[in-house]
Amino acid sequence: MMAKNSRGKRPCSICRKWFAPDVRQKGRQRTCSPACQNELHRRQCENWNRKNKAVSKNNYLAKKLEEAESLQTSGKLTAFPSQTQKSPVLPMEVIETEYGIKPAIIAQYLVTQVISHTKEKIREFP
Ligand SMILES: [Zn+2]
């Protein structure tokens, strides 16, 4: 049987400390303190941003592919604009000739993702 003084208590979503929620905020309080509440909010925003970022990245790639396709079908695409390419510089002409414009764009996109991901990882461990 639970001890009487632990009735209504719940673990904090952030620090896992057991706390007694404010009766006025019945059922809504998930953290023990304003500091933990802020942290919870920060994490929720972070998750949301991360999801949103992933979506916009996918849209970016889809848009790139769409653009390339319309340029290709209209015959405007003569060569991959490697002079406008930011680092990493890939042998885009070779990839494009061998596999087509879409794999070339996807390859560039993936390499860029891997590099930025690696940079983020490096920042996490100074
Ligand atoms: Zn807490």
Side-chain angles (χ1 to χ4, degrees):
M1 198 176 159
M2 266 167 96
K4 206 173 186 182
N5 63 1
S6 72
R7 260 170 85 207
K9 282 194 176 183
R10 58 178 68 188
C12 173
S13 293
I14 299 301
C15 68
R16 300 285 154 207
K17 207 167 75 185
W18 283 76
F19 71 100
D22 192 326
V23 285
R24 286 165 297 177
Q25 302 189 47
K26 202 177 170 185
R28 280 184 292 152
Q29 203 179 343
R30 294 175 56 195
T31 52
C32 67
S33 64
C36 285
Q37 175 59 42
N38 286 342
E39 176 61 16
L40 179 68
H41 187 241
R42 196 189 66 78
R43 287 186 194 180
Q44 282 167 342
C45 286
E46 206 173 60
N47 286 341
W48 188 86
N49 283 338
R50 200 175 292 142
K51 265 186 237 159
N52 232 36
K53 217 173 162 187
V55 169
S56 69
K57 274 180 186 172
N58 287 339
N59 288 344
Y60 169 83
L61 181 60
K63 205 176 158 214
K64 278 271 178 197
L65 293 173
E66 225 168 72
E67 275 171 16
E69 195 169 47
S70 67
L71 282 173
Q72 206 167 36
T73 50
S74 66
K76 280 179 200 154
L77 193 75
T78 49
F80 202 87
S82 55
Q83 65 274 13
T84 62
Q85 215 188 125
K86 283 176 255 158
S87 68
V89 177
L90 297 177
M92 296 305 283
E93 294 87 351
V94 178
I95 301 170
E96 191 195 331
T97 310
E98 290 293 320
Y99 304 104
I101 185 68
K102 282 189 177 185
I105 288 171
I106 291 169
Q108 189 193 33
Y109 173 80
L110 291 177
V111 171
T112 308
Q113 290 302 298
V114 168
I115 287 173
S116 71
H117 188 74
T118 307
K119 280 180 185 165
E120 273 173 33
K121 282 277 167 237
I122 290 166
R123 272 206 300 275
E124 277 172 23
F125 302 102

